[in-house]
Amino acid sequence: MFERLRKRLAGAAIALAMTAAAIGAAAAYEGGPVAHGGTIAGVVLYDGKPPPLKRLDISKDRDVCGAHPLYDESLVVARDGGIANAVVTLPDIAKGEPMTPLKNVIFDQKGCQYVPHLIAFPAGSTIKIVNSDGILHSIHTESTVNPVVDMAQPGFKKTISITVAKPEAIKVTCDAHNWMEGWWYATANPYYAVTDAHGRFSISNVPPGSYTIEVWQEKLGTARERVTVPAGGVANVKFTLKPR
Ligand SMILES: [Cu+2]
């Protein structure tokens, strides 16, 4: 009886290992020349009346942090309904442009706010964390795939460089100022875009074909669509995200 159980367990372990290998293979991305690449152009809209911006309560370091009014940037919707700072990706694209990590993605702490609020970059890129304020900030990430970063950045320490090796959406906070929140979004391939103030985005040089396209927004979550990119042409995509 124990022998039978042992064999069944061994079989289950092999099945699990094969599943893991299959997921690994599906996630592999191959870069190379792209022929007749097309463009995906689109917009990410909010389903409902744009919520008003909330002013943040500045309780500390008022001379630096309170010099200008600060607003909660976790959901910024323009009057035309466009959502800013949403990340659009092609999660299942297997082949296309080479993956080129960036060497200097600037993430500044300015007026006790992250500028920009969100940065997106290919995994393997290096972020240059700047302290323009000259007061004590700290960089504390809520990473689960990548190592957690938890470092003080005193005013005299103007920059810290951090490389984010694996794809992940990472929330960043400051232990010195509890209202500070930003995001680092490391992508699995070079096809991504961040929406502008009107929710617009564009992804170019995509090999012709059909793909899943995903949008992620820190408060509204993710949504997916299918898109077919024509050779040398443009495919249009419209996302409408609901409040939740
Ligand atoms: Cu801070």
Side-chain angles (χ1 to χ4, degrees):
M1 185 191 155
F2 284 117
E3 182 58 17
R4 251 174 47 210
L5 183 62
R6 195 190 63 76
K7 275 190 182 154
R8 263 176 54 197
L9 284 174
I14 290 168
L16 264 178
M18 282 169 71
T19 309
I23 290 168
Y29 176 78
E30 196 186 318
V34 173
H36 313 294
T39 298
I40 304 171
V43 65
V44 181
L45 300 173
Y46 185 70
D47 187 6
K49 200 174 153 218
L53 279 182
K54 244 186 280 157
R55 191 162 169 183
L56 295 170
D57 184 21
I58 306 308
S59 49
K60 199 180 160 189
D61 292 327
R62 284 203 186 92
D63 49 335
V64 175
C65 307
H68 303 282
L70 299 181
Y71 295 92
D72 178 351
E73 294 184 297
S74 60
L75 177 61
V76 178
V77 182
R79 271 193 217 157
D80 59 13
I83 300 174
N85 284 327
V87 183
V88 183
T89 55
L90 300 180
D92 66 359
I93 191 167
K95 264 185 176 181
E97 274 183 358
M99 182 92 163
T100 312
L102 306 172
K103 291 197 175 76
N104 243 338
V105 188
I106 302 290
F107 188 68
D108 197 359
Q109 298 151 110
K110 205 172 183 180
C112 307
Q113 200 166 34
Y114 295 118
V115 182
H117 173 70
L118 174 146
I119 47 176
F121 47 83
S125 296
T126 300
I127 301 168
K128 192 172 171 187
I129 303 160
V130 181
N131 184 352
S132 286
D133 281 337
I135 59 169
L136 173 71
H137 286 295
S138 84
I139 287 287
H140 198 166
T141 67
E142 293 180 15
S143 327
T144 54
V145 180
N146 292 281
V148 169
V149 179
D150 185 7
M151 293 173 88
Q153 188 171 12
F156 61 82
K157 194 160 186 175
K158 285 297 158 204
T159 62
I160 293 176
S161 286
I162 298 282
T163 298
V164 180
K166 293 181 181 159
E168 186 179 6
I170 302 170
K171 187 177 179 178
V172 182
T173 59
C174 171
D175 293 338
H177 307 104
N178 62 5
W179 64 85
M180 291 179 73
E181 278 185 17
W183 286 86
W184 300 347
Y185 194 114
T187 65
N189 61 64
Y191 293 104
Y192 64 90
V194 178
T195 55
D196 68 12
H198 295 282
R200 289 180 300 232
F201 69 89
S202 167
I203 299 176
S204 60
N205 206 23
V206 183
S210 283
Y211 305 98
T212 297
I213 184 165
E214 182 177 288
V215 62
W216 172 90
Q217 201 281 336
E218 61 185 271
K219 258 190 139 169
L220 307 179
T222 60
R224 286 183 164 197
E225 297 279 347
R226 289 295 291 178
V227 61
T228 299
V229 179
V234 179
N236 289 291
V237 175
K238 184 166 112 178
F239 285 105
T240 306
L241 301 182
K242 290 186 190 317
R244 60 172 199 182

